[in-house]
Amino acid sequence: MKVSKNSSLKVLPAMLVLLLLQISLSCLWLGHGEVVTSFESSCPQFFFRKTPPNEALEPENPAWICQRYKNQYYFATLYDRSRRIPVYSAYLYQPGPGTRPKTWLVEPQLMGLSYPKTMEREWTLSKYYSVTSEQLGKSQAILQDYKNLTGLNRGHLNPSGHHSDSSSRAATFSLTNIVPQNEKLNGGAWNNYEQQTMMRRTVGCNTTYIVVGAVPGNNYIAKGRVNKPSHIWSSACCEVDKNHREAWGVIAENDKNEVQLLTLGELEEVLTHLYGRDQVYLFDSGCPRE
């Protein structure tokens, strides 16, 4: 069969359109939040000695998320699909100057592994995948859940200010890294710990591993969809050198503007009591408990 020169020329624009569409979609899908089977096999670098917290914190319906942006992992999050809040996020403390991101992202793979490994904006999923808010919200919080709150706001577990460049900061703006937090605590004593106490405590540290989390409470927002934690906590294991490490923890009730500074061992005991299950271990035994 003969193909005329004119028909060949007509095919070229169509092929060009398809190519441009592929490029534009790949540009949209720069952020990745990959749901995995375990942190040890996928993104262990955010945990001291590649050891995540033990199973004492795991919810009934967990998701292990390696939070990746522009083809690089930035932190790890254990997520509670049923309560629609993170259990904890783990990352390396690497603060630096930079602007606060404004774009909130969600995790498509919480709907199923057939969806892309992409941390995306809700409108992008709606436009390109015809995903409804009902579909997206079945196993995670969405922006609508955090509207019209009284006395609460979106509280980061892994804060953008603990990261040194725009990509690592942008990755923290996933709703899988957010809990309903008392607004006075978030902007007061907790912010003071994140920005000032952490800077003082990490002087002399070469590498500081952080695990920060939320204890599920008895109250919910968004008509019972999203759990309001009873407590927010954070723990740190600092490597000064190969033979010297320091560790500490803090915890705050999520209705008071107060933060309690603890040893790592004390924090693990408090969490063990609050969860009422097995003994909690947040770091490998190489981090001092006293």
Side-chain angles (χ1 to χ4, degrees):
M1 177 177 124
K2 273 190 175 181
V3 178
S4 70
K5 189 175 180 182
N6 285 340
S7 62
S8 297
L9 289 172
K10 288 177 182 177
V11 171
L12 283 173
M15 291 176 65
L16 184 60
V17 168
L18 285 172
L19 180 61
L20 289 172
L21 181 60
Q22 282 184 316
I23 292 171
S24 65
L25 287 175
S26 66
C27 288
L28 281 170
W29 299 333
L30 288 172
H32 295 252
E34 186 175 352
V35 175
V36 299
T37 54
S38 77
F39 292 137
E40 292 93 332
S41 62
S42 302
C43 53
Q45 63 269 35
F46 303 111
F47 304 93
F48 174 66
R49 290 183 178 171
K50 300 181 179 180
T51 305
N54 68 335
E55 296 178 356
L57 297 177
E58 285 183 17
E60 290 184 8
N61 193 10
W64 291 265
I65 305 173
C66 292
Q67 306 276 17
R68 188 171 67 190
Y69 189 75
K70 294 184 179 178
N71 295 319
Q72 181 176 338
Y73 289 133
Y74 286 104
F75 65 106
T77 299
L78 176 60
Y79 194 75
D80 187 333
R81 297 170 183 262
S82 300
R83 296 184 176 95
R84 298 180 179 88
I85 58 170
V87 178
Y88 64 73
S89 286
Y91 61 97
L92 298 177
Y93 176 68
Q94 298 170 321
T99 57
R100 182 180 171 88
K102 296 180 180 178
T103 302
W104 290 97
L105 307 167
V106 291
E107 174 48 65
Q109 281 208 331
L110 287 174
M111 294 185 292
L113 297 182
S114 60
Y115 288 90
K117 302 172 182 178
T118 60
M119 181 194 295
E120 265 307 344
R121 287 176 286 186
E122 289 182 29
W123 76 264
T124 303
L125 293 173
S126 174
K127 184 173 182 179
Y128 292 100
Y129 282 89
S130 301
V131 172
T132 65
S133 296
E134 288 75 20
Q135 285 176 289
L136 185 61
K138 281 183 180 178
S139 58
Q140 66 187 294
I142 57 177
L143 282 171
Q144 182 63 37
D145 294 326
Y146 282 91
K147 289 186 176 178
N148 303 316
L149 295 180
T150 301
L152 299 168
N153 56 23
R154 290 174 290 208
H156 284 74
L157 291 191
N158 175 7
S160 64
H162 283 187
H163 300 275
S164 59
D165 61 71
S166 59
S167 293
S168 55
R169 286 170 176 252
T172 68
F173 269 66
S174 165
L175 288 176
T176 58
N177 180 48
I178 299 297
V179 298
Q181 188 171 7
N182 179 279
E183 62 181 358
K184 290 183 179 178
L185 173 64
N186 195 11
W190 193 259
N191 181 69
N192 182 65
Y193 170 73
E194 288 180 335
Q195 303 305 323
Q196 298 179 35
T197 307
M198 275 296 297
M199 192 167 291
R200 289 197 305 270
R201 292 296 300 256
T202 55
V203 172
C205 298
N206 284 320
T207 305
T208 303
Y209 296 88
I210 306 293
V211 180
V212 55
V215 180
N218 296 320
N219 298 312
Y220 284 77
I221 65 166
K223 298 179 180 178
R225 281 181 37 82
V226 179
N227 186 266
K228 178 198 168 190
S230 63
H231 297 75
I232 314 292
W233 55 269
S234 185
S235 59
C237 182
C238 143
E239 287 190 302
V240 179
D241 54 45
K242 290 183 179 179
N243 301 313
H244 182 206
R245 297 176 199 93
E246 297 177 0
W248 62 89
V250 294
I251 193 164
E253 294 180 52
N254 196 22
D255 57 2
K256 296 178 182 177
N257 187 21
E258 299 174 9
V259 171
Q260 185 179 6
L261 186 61
L262 305 168
T263 65
L264 176 58
E266 287 171 340
L267 175 61
E268 290 176 334
E269 289 301 324
V270 171
L271 292 177
T272 299
H273 174 73
L274 288 172
Y275 274 87
R277 289 151 54 177
D278 295 336
Q279 174 67 44
V280 171
Y281 295 105
L282 298 175
F283 291 104
D284 176 89
S285 60
C287 293
R289 263 56 189 181
E290 297 303 322

PDB file of all heavy atoms in Angstrom, residues 58-75:
ATOM      1  N   GLU A  58       2.412  -0.065  65.421  1.00  0.00           N
ATOM      2  CA  GLU A  58       1.699  -0.313  64.162  1.00  0.00           C
ATOM      3  C   GLU A  58       0.187  -0.346  64.350  1.00  0.00           C
ATOM      4  O   GLU A  58      -0.320  -1.028  65.237  1.00  0.00           O
ATOM      5  CB  GLU A  58       2.158  -1.626  63.535  1.00  0.00           C
ATOM      6  CG  GLU A  58       3.527  -1.530  62.884  1.00  0.00           C
ATOM      7  CD  GLU A  58       3.930  -2.812  62.198  1.00  0.00           C
ATOM      8  OE1 GLU A  58       3.041  -3.661  61.944  1.00  0.00           O
ATOM      9  OE2 GLU A  58       5.127  -2.976  61.919  1.00  0.00           O
ATOM     10  N   PRO A  59      -0.553   0.360  63.509  1.00  0.00           N
ATOM     11  CA  PRO A  59      -2.020   0.336  63.577  1.00  0.00           C
ATOM     12  C   PRO A  59      -2.569  -0.921  62.907  1.00  0.00           C
ATOM     13  O   PRO A  59      -1.821  -1.702  62.308  1.00  0.00           O
ATOM     14  CB  PRO A  59      -2.413   1.589  62.795  1.00  0.00           C
ATOM     15  CG  PRO A  59      -1.323   1.727  61.773  1.00  0.00           C
ATOM     16  CD  PRO A  59      -0.058   1.259  62.451  1.00  0.00           C
ATOM     17  N   GLU A  60      -3.874  -1.103  62.998  1.00  0.00           N
ATOM     18  CA  GLU A  60      -4.507  -2.281  62.382  1.00  0.00           C
ATOM     19  C   GLU A  60      -4.454  -2.242  60.862  1.00  0.00           C
ATOM     20  O   GLU A  60      -4.407  -3.281  60.215  1.00  0.00           O
ATOM     21  CB  GLU A  60      -5.962  -2.393  62.854  1.00  0.00           C
ATOM     22  CG  GLU A  60      -6.121  -2.768  64.315  1.00  0.00           C
ATOM     23  CD  GLU A  60      -7.572  -2.955  64.707  1.00  0.00           C
ATOM     24  OE1 GLU A  60      -8.444  -2.935  63.808  1.00  0.00           O
ATOM     25  OE2 GLU A  60      -7.839  -3.103  65.910  1.00  0.00           O
ATOM     26  N   ASN A  61      -4.481  -1.041  60.306  1.00  0.00           N
ATOM     27  CA  ASN A  61      -4.531  -0.907  58.847  1.00  0.00           C
ATOM     28  C   ASN A  61      -3.402   0.017  58.378  1.00  0.00           C
ATOM     29  O   ASN A  61      -3.646   1.161  57.987  1.00  0.00           O
ATOM     30  CB  ASN A  61      -5.908  -0.360  58.438  1.00  0.00           C
ATOM     31  CG  ASN A  61      -6.169  -0.487  56.953  1.00  0.00           C
ATOM     32  OD1 ASN A  61      -5.417  -1.136  56.223  1.00  0.00           O
ATOM     33  ND2 ASN A  61      -7.238   0.144  56.485  1.00  0.00           N
ATOM     34  N   PRO A  62      -2.146  -0.472  58.410  1.00  0.00           N
ATOM     35  CA  PRO A  62      -1.006   0.405  58.143  1.00  0.00           C
ATOM     36  C   PRO A  62      -0.652   0.524  56.665  1.00  0.00           C
ATOM     37  O   PRO A  62      -1.013  -0.326  55.847  1.00  0.00           O
ATOM     38  CB  PRO A  62       0.130  -0.299  58.894  1.00  0.00           C
ATOM     39  CG  PRO A  62      -0.218  -1.753  58.768  1.00  0.00           C
ATOM     40  CD  PRO A  62      -1.724  -1.822  58.794  1.00  0.00           C
ATOM     41  N   ALA A  63       0.072   1.588  56.348  1.00  0.00           N
ATOM     42  CA  ALA A  63       0.711   1.740  55.041  1.00  0.00           C
ATOM     43  C   ALA A  63       2.118   2.289  55.285  1.00  0.00           C
ATOM     44  O   ALA A  63       2.291   3.259  56.017  1.00  0.00           O
ATOM     45  CB  ALA A  63      -0.083   2.678  54.142  1.00  0.00           C
ATOM     46  N   TRP A  64       3.099   1.649  54.667  1.00  0.00           N
ATOM     47  CA  TRP A  64       4.485   2.106  54.771  1.00  0.00           C
ATOM     48  C   TRP A  64       4.790   2.939  53.530  1.00  0.00           C
ATOM     49  O   TRP A  64       4.728   2.434  52.404  1.00  0.00           O
ATOM     50  CB  TRP A  64       5.439   0.922  54.861  1.00  0.00           C
ATOM     51  CG  TRP A  64       5.326   0.162  56.147  1.00  0.00           C
ATOM     52  CD1 TRP A  64       6.082   0.319  57.276  1.00  0.00           C
ATOM     53  CD2 TRP A  64       4.394  -0.889  56.456  1.00  0.00           C
ATOM     54  NE1 TRP A  64       5.680  -0.553  58.253  1.00  0.00           N
ATOM     55  CE2 TRP A  64       4.646  -1.305  57.788  1.00  0.00           C
ATOM     56  CE3 TRP A  64       3.372  -1.518  55.742  1.00  0.00           C
ATOM     57  CZ2 TRP A  64       3.926  -2.314  58.407  1.00  0.00           C
ATOM     58  CZ3 TRP A  64       2.646  -2.522  56.362  1.00  0.00           C
ATOM     59  CH2 TRP A  64       2.922  -2.912  57.678  1.00  0.00           C
ATOM     60  N   ILE A  65       5.105   4.213  53.731  1.00  0.00           N
ATOM     61  CA  ILE A  65       5.299   5.130  52.601  1.00  0.00           C
ATOM     62  C   ILE A  65       6.728   5.657  52.598  1.00  0.00           C
ATOM     63  O   ILE A  65       7.177   6.272  53.576  1.00  0.00           O
ATOM     64  CB  ILE A  65       4.327   6.319  52.663  1.00  0.00           C
ATOM     65  CG1 ILE A  65       2.872   5.838  52.753  1.00  0.00           C
ATOM     66  CG2 ILE A  65       4.511   7.230  51.446  1.00  0.00           C
ATOM     67  CD1 ILE A  65       1.868   6.958  52.998  1.00  0.00           C
ATOM     68  N   CYS A  66       7.448   5.431  51.506  1.00  0.00           N
ATOM     69  CA  CYS A  66       8.738   6.079  51.286  1.00  0.00           C
ATOM     70  C   CYS A  66       8.459   7.352  50.498  1.00  0.00           C
ATOM     71  O   CYS A  66       8.076   7.296  49.323  1.00  0.00           O
ATOM     72  CB  CYS A  66       9.689   5.163  50.507  1.00  0.00           C
ATOM     73  SG  CYS A  66      10.225   3.712  51.431  1.00  0.00           S
ATOM     74  N   GLN A  67       8.618   8.480  51.138  1.00  0.00           N
ATOM     75  CA  GLN A  67       8.224   9.766  50.559  1.00  0.00           C
ATOM     76  C   GLN A  67       9.329  10.262  49.608  1.00  0.00           C
ATOM     77  O   GLN A  67      10.383  10.674  50.038  1.00  0.00           O
ATOM     78  CB  GLN A  67       7.993  10.789  51.668  1.00  0.00           C
ATOM     79  CG  GLN A  67       6.998  10.336  52.729  1.00  0.00           C
ATOM     80  CD  GLN A  67       5.546  10.586  52.344  1.00  0.00           C
ATOM     81  OE1 GLN A  67       5.234  10.812  51.181  1.00  0.00           O
ATOM     82  NE2 GLN A  67       4.662  10.551  53.323  1.00  0.00           N
ATOM     83  N   ARG A  68       9.020  10.219  48.313  1.00  0.00           N
ATOM     84  CA  ARG A  68      10.019  10.540  47.295  1.00  0.00           C
ATOM     85  C   ARG A  68       9.542  11.712  46.447  1.00  0.00           C
ATOM     86  O   ARG A  68       8.375  11.806  46.099  1.00  0.00           O
ATOM     87  CB  ARG A  68      10.276   9.315  46.415  1.00  0.00           C
ATOM     88  CG  ARG A  68      11.437   9.473  45.447  1.00  0.00           C
ATOM     89  CD  ARG A  68      11.748   8.152  44.772  1.00  0.00           C
ATOM     90  NE  ARG A  68      10.668   7.735  43.882  1.00  0.00           N
ATOM     91  CZ  ARG A  68      10.606   6.531  43.317  1.00  0.00           C
ATOM     92  NH1 ARG A  68      11.508   5.623  43.600  1.00  0.00           N
ATOM     93  NH2 ARG A  68       9.611   6.232  42.503  1.00  0.00           N
ATOM     94  N   TYR A  69      10.475  12.571  46.105  1.00  0.00           N
ATOM     95  CA  TYR A  69      10.164  13.747  45.294  1.00  0.00           C
ATOM     96  C   TYR A  69      11.291  13.959  44.292  1.00  0.00           C
ATOM     97  O   TYR A  69      12.467  13.944  44.669  1.00  0.00           O
ATOM     98  CB  TYR A  69       9.999  14.972  46.199  1.00  0.00           C
ATOM     99  CG  TYR A  69       9.462  16.197  45.520  1.00  0.00           C
ATOM    100  CD1 TYR A  69       8.125  16.303  45.193  1.00  0.00           C
ATOM    101  CD2 TYR A  69      10.304  17.250  45.199  1.00  0.00           C
ATOM    102  CE1 TYR A  69       7.617  17.441  44.570  1.00  0.00           C
ATOM    103  CE2 TYR A  69       9.810  18.400  44.575  1.00  0.00           C
ATOM    104  CZ  TYR A  69       8.464  18.474  44.263  1.00  0.00           C
ATOM    105  OH  TYR A  69       7.978  19.591  43.640  1.00  0.00           O
ATOM    106  N   LYS A  70      10.932  14.118  43.011  1.00  0.00           N
ATOM    107  CA  LYS A  70      11.924  14.269  41.944  1.00  0.00           C
ATOM    108  C   LYS A  70      12.960  13.139  41.994  1.00  0.00           C
ATOM    109  O   LYS A  70      14.170  13.364  41.979  1.00  0.00           O
ATOM    110  CB  LYS A  70      12.604  15.641  42.015  1.00  0.00           C
ATOM    111  CG  LYS A  70      11.647  16.793  41.734  1.00  0.00           C
ATOM    112  CD  LYS A  70      12.361  18.126  41.707  1.00  0.00           C
ATOM    113  CE  LYS A  70      11.373  19.243  41.388  1.00  0.00           C
ATOM    114  NZ  LYS A  70      12.008  20.575  41.396  1.00  0.00           N
ATOM    115  N   ASN A  71      12.433  11.922  42.102  1.00  0.00           N
ATOM    116  CA  ASN A  71      13.239  10.701  42.055  1.00  0.00           C
ATOM    117  C   ASN A  71      14.243  10.569  43.195  1.00  0.00           C
ATOM    118  O   ASN A  71      15.265   9.896  43.057  1.00  0.00           O
ATOM    119  CB  ASN A  71      13.963  10.578  40.707  1.00  0.00           C
ATOM    120  CG  ASN A  71      12.980  10.399  39.570  1.00  0.00           C
ATOM    121  OD1 ASN A  71      12.001   9.676  39.699  1.00  0.00           O
ATOM    122  ND2 ASN A  71      13.223  11.074  38.460  1.00  0.00           N
ATOM    123  N   GLN A  72      13.947  11.196  44.341  1.00  0.00           N
ATOM    124  CA  GLN A  72      14.809  11.047  45.506  1.00  0.00           C
ATOM    125  C   GLN A  72      13.946  10.891  46.750  1.00  0.00           C
ATOM    126  O   GLN A  72      12.976  11.619  46.940  1.00  0.00           O
ATOM    127  CB  GLN A  72      15.733  12.261  45.662  1.00  0.00           C
ATOM    128  CG  GLN A  72      16.681  12.154  46.840  1.00  0.00           C
ATOM    129  CD  GLN A  72      17.654  13.313  46.919  1.00  0.00           C
ATOM    130  OE1 GLN A  72      17.914  13.994  45.923  1.00  0.00           O
ATOM    131  NE2 GLN A  72      18.192  13.555  48.101  1.00  0.00           N
ATOM    132  N   TYR A  73      14.299   9.935  47.598  1.00  0.00           N
ATOM    133  CA  TYR A  73      13.598   9.767  48.862  1.00  0.00           C
ATOM    134  C   TYR A  73      14.027  10.850  49.841  1.00  0.00           C
ATOM    135  O   TYR A  73      15.216  11.148  49.969  1.00  0.00           O
ATOM    136  CB  TYR A  73      13.904   8.402  49.477  1.00  0.00           C
ATOM    137  CG  TYR A  73      13.270   7.224  48.753  1.00  0.00           C
ATOM    138  CD1 TYR A  73      14.016   6.093  48.455  1.00  0.00           C
ATOM    139  CD2 TYR A  73      11.932   7.237  48.402  1.00  0.00           C
ATOM    140  CE1 TYR A  73      13.449   5.009  47.810  1.00  0.00           C
ATOM    141  CE2 TYR A  73      11.350   6.173  47.748  1.00  0.00           C
ATOM    142  CZ  TYR A  73      12.110   5.048  47.455  1.00  0.00           C
ATOM    143  OH  TYR A  73      11.541   3.979  46.817  1.00  0.00           O
ATOM    144  N   TYR A  74      13.039  11.385  50.587  1.00  0.00           N
ATOM    145  CA  TYR A  74      13.339  12.421  51.577  1.00  0.00           C
ATOM    146  C   TYR A  74      12.971  12.026  53.008  1.00  0.00           C
ATOM    147  O   TYR A  74      13.553  12.543  53.943  1.00  0.00           O
ATOM    148  CB  TYR A  74      12.648  13.728  51.209  1.00  0.00           C
ATOM    149  CG  TYR A  74      13.322  14.416  50.055  1.00  0.00           C
ATOM    150  CD1 TYR A  74      12.768  14.384  48.783  1.00  0.00           C
ATOM    151  CD2 TYR A  74      14.539  15.076  50.223  1.00  0.00           C
ATOM    152  CE1 TYR A  74      13.402  15.014  47.710  1.00  0.00           C
ATOM    153  CE2 TYR A  74      15.176  15.694  49.164  1.00  0.00           C
ATOM    154  CZ  TYR A  74      14.605  15.660  47.913  1.00  0.00           C
ATOM    155  OH  TYR A  74      15.237  16.270  46.857  1.00  0.00           O
ATOM    156  N   PHE A  75      11.996  11.155  53.182  1.00  0.00           N
ATOM    157  CA  PHE A  75      11.677  10.661  54.516  1.00  0.00           C
ATOM    158  C   PHE A  75      10.740   9.467  54.400  1.00  0.00           C
ATOM    159  O   PHE A  75      10.351   9.072  53.297  1.00  0.00           O
ATOM    160  CB  PHE A  75      11.088  11.759  55.411  1.00  0.00           C
ATOM    161  CG  PHE A  75       9.743  12.322  54.988  1.00  0.00           C
ATOM    162  CD1 PHE A  75       8.581  12.002  55.679  1.00  0.00           C
ATOM    163  CD2 PHE A  75       9.644  13.227  53.929  1.00  0.00           C
ATOM    164  CE1 PHE A  75       7.358  12.546  55.324  1.00  0.00           C
ATOM    165  CE2 PHE A  75       8.427  13.784  53.559  1.00  0.00           C
ATOM    166  CZ  PHE A  75       7.275  13.436  54.265  1.00  0.00           C
TER     167      PHE A  75
END
